[in-house]
Structure formats: structure tokens, C-alpha cells
Amino acid sequence: MDIKEYIALSLILFTIGIIGVLIRRNAIIVFMCVELMLNAVNLLLVAFSKMHAISPVAKTSLTYASDAQIFVFFIMIVAAAEVSIGLAIIVMMYRNTHSIDVNFLNRLKN
Amino acid sequence: MNTQIIFILLSLMAIGGAVMMLVTRNPVKSILWLIVVFFSISGHYILLNAQFLAVVNIIVYAGAIMVLFLFVVMLMNLNAETEPGKNYRLQFIGIIAGGCLLLIMLSFLMATKTHQPVLMKVGESGLIKKLGRTLFTDYVLPFEISSVLFLSAMIGAVIIGKKN
């Protein structure tokens, strides 16, 4: 497979995530779209690491092609921590306003 | 040839699941569609021979994070179709903006002439032996710092979620 096909797939998934953040007003769905964008980036990082695994540098270096996959691992770690905090914030918001409409957060302006 | 067919099938599954996640009104069904997307991305990882990441993706995302989402939705009793009042004009503008972004980036992608092949189904860079060696030699400090991150996230979630 060519790297361009992976870039196109990741672009489509990322754009679907962006559109979801823009058009949905349910806070949980917005949060899930952020997760979708993170996953699109993860897929692209893995594809690039396998692209570089062919290069001659990868034959000599021990860890050259594995670095991008370590990055993906750390992105997953940060995503897990982010989800726990974000869901706690959503639960707190629901407890205070009895709604999870993100437009309710407008009142934070004042 | 076989790889091509599997790639197209997994891609269609991922894109279809993502679109269904957006258009479904019910939050529980939306979460289930997102799990479909995560499984197809794990299939992509297996196709790229990144076995460790495929398993971690299923365990962490489909197993832990999405169950947490489902748990919160059930806890707040949101499984009814409770989308607040819609603003069609804003939705239209959002779709147009996202579509323009996609079109511009895809047209730049198609304009590039280079062809770089991706190593499919073989290669050792995604195996757990090599990844573990890399993680515990070159990246051991970020690995330890991430444990501090988890600790602070746990404390923060407890403090935020506490009543008063």
C-alpha cells in the first residue's frame, strides 16, 4: 500500500471528528469526536513508522522505526488521563445544570 | 491484492462507523458505533504488523475508555434521544467548513508526485520485544512521568466529581 492512501484515510477520519465537534451539542458526543481525531493521528503515526521501516537507516539503528509507535503509546496514555478528567467535568456540569448541552457553558462568560 | 481488499474493507468500516456515530441521535448507539471504528483501526494496526498497538488499542480504547463513556451515559440516564434544540444554520456552516478543509488537504495530497510504499504484514518494529526494549531504554523517563500524570488525573477526577 502507498502512504498516500493512509494519509487520505486519516484525513477523512480527522475531518469527521472536526465536523462532529462543530455540529453536535451533546457534550459526550463532542468528547467522543476528540477521541476519534486522536485515533486518526495514531493511525497516521503507525503508517509513517512502517514507511520509515523500509529506509536504510532503519537497518542500522536498533530503535529507529519503533519510535513513532512509542509516541502512539504515549498518546493513548494522555487520552486515558484526559477522558477521566473530562468525564468528571461533564458529570459535574450535569449535576449543576441538569443538561449536557455545551451551549450551557456560555454562562461561564460572566 | 488480498491486502488491498482488506485495507478497503477496514477503511470503509472505519469511515462508515464514524459517520454513523455522528448522525445517530441516541448517545448509547453513538458510543457503540465509535467502538466499531476503534476495532477497524485495530485491524489496520494488525495489517501493518503493529501487534502491540492493536492489542493496546482494543484494551485501552474499546475496553476501558468506551466503557467509561457508557457508564457515564447510563449514570446520567441519557439513553433517551435528548439532543437539545438544533440550529440547522450552524450545522450547515459546520459541515461546509469541515468539507472545505478536507477538500483542500486532499487536493494537496493528490498533487504530490512522490510514492512511498508502506511495509505491510512484515517487519519487526511493531513487535512487543522491540517496543519494550525501546520503551525501557530510551523512553524510560517519559514512561515514569506518565505515571505521575495518571496519579494527578486520578486525584483531579476524584476532587472534581466529589459533591461540593
Side-chain angles (χ1 to χ4, degrees):
Chain A
M1 305 297 295
D2 201 73
I3 188 68
K4 283 162 90 171
E5 300 171 25
Y6 276 103
I7 297 176
L9 173 63
S10 297
L11 274 181
I12 294 171
L13 286 179
F14 193 85
T15 313
I16 291 174
I18 288 178
I19 291 175
V21 170
L22 288 178
I23 70 174
R24 293 301 296 262
R25 292 167 63 186
N26 190 332
I28 288 180
I29 310 285
V30 170
F31 209 45
M32 280 162 54
C33 289
V34 175
E35 297 297 314
L36 182 65
M37 297 199 301
L38 283 174
N39 260 280
V41 173
N42 282 351
L43 179 63
L44 194 57
L45 274 173
V46 174
F48 272 127
S49 97
K50 298 303 283 190
M51 184 188 91
H52 281 291
I54 304 179
S55 71
V57 188
K59 300 281 191 297
T60 58
S61 166
L62 187 67
T63 63
Y64 182 69
S66 297
D67 285 355
Q69 303 191 20
I70 298 290
F71 258 80
V72 173
F73 184 65
F74 282 119
I75 290 175
M76 285 180 181
I77 288 176
V78 173
E82 171 221 331
V83 161
S84 65
I85 295 289
L87 285 178
I89 291 175
I90 290 177
V91 167
M92 189 192 65
M93 175 181 154
Y94 182 73
R95 200 182 285 150
N96 285 333
T97 63
H98 294 286
S99 165
I100 50 169
D101 189 351
V102 286
N103 284 10
F104 264 106
L105 294 179
N106 271 343
R107 65 181 60 172
L108 286 181
K109 272 194 297 198
N110 301 319
Chain B
M1 194 61 212
N2 221 347
T3 314
Q4 196 110 24
I5 295 171
I6 296 174
F7 176 84
I8 292 172
L9 276 180
L10 285 173
S11 305
L12 286 180
M13 196 169 136
I15 294 171
V19 171
M20 284 305 290
M21 182 198 81
L22 270 194
V23 300
T24 311
R25 288 286 161 215
N26 192 332
V28 175
K29 283 181 188 164
S30 193
I31 290 171
L32 293 178
W33 278 113
L34 192 58
I35 291 177
V36 171
V37 178
F38 287 159
F39 268 93
S40 62
I41 286 178
S42 283
H44 274 295
Y45 289 163
I46 291 173
L47 198 63
L48 286 165
N49 207 22
Q51 302 167 0
F52 173 70
L53 284 178
V55 174
V56 166
N57 197 43
I58 288 179
I59 291 176
V60 172
Y61 270 109
I65 293 183
M66 294 333 276
V67 169
L68 203 62
F69 271 102
L70 271 179
F71 192 70
V72 168
V73 169
M74 303 281 181
L75 194 74
M76 300 196 287
N77 205 7
L78 290 173
N79 35 14
E81 311 197 351
T82 53
E83 183 79 3
K86 283 171 290 193
N87 188 339
Y88 286 108
R89 199 169 60 94
L90 274 183
Q91 286 192 353
F92 183 70
I93 292 173
I95 291 174
I96 293 292
C100 286
L101 180 71
L102 181 66
L103 268 183
I104 289 172
M105 294 212 279
L106 275 184
S107 63
F108 272 112
L109 180 66
M110 292 308 159
T112 53
K113 296 286 191 293
T114 54
H115 288 283
Q116 287 275 0
V118 178
L119 195 60
M120 308 287 285
K121 295 196 283 190
V122 288
E124 293 201 335
S125 65
L127 301 188
I128 194 165
K129 184 181 172 189
K130 200 161 184 182
L131 274 180
R133 188 170 291 153
T134 312
L135 186 62
F136 287 111
T137 52
D138 295 348
Y139 291 92
V140 68
L141 184 64
F143 184 73
E144 295 295 334
I145 290 175
S146 66
S147 70
V148 179
L149 175 74
F150 266 125
L151 183 66
S152 59
M154 192 176 74
I155 295 173
V158 169
I159 288 177
I160 292 172
K162 199 175 57 177
K163 277 187 179 166
N164 300 319

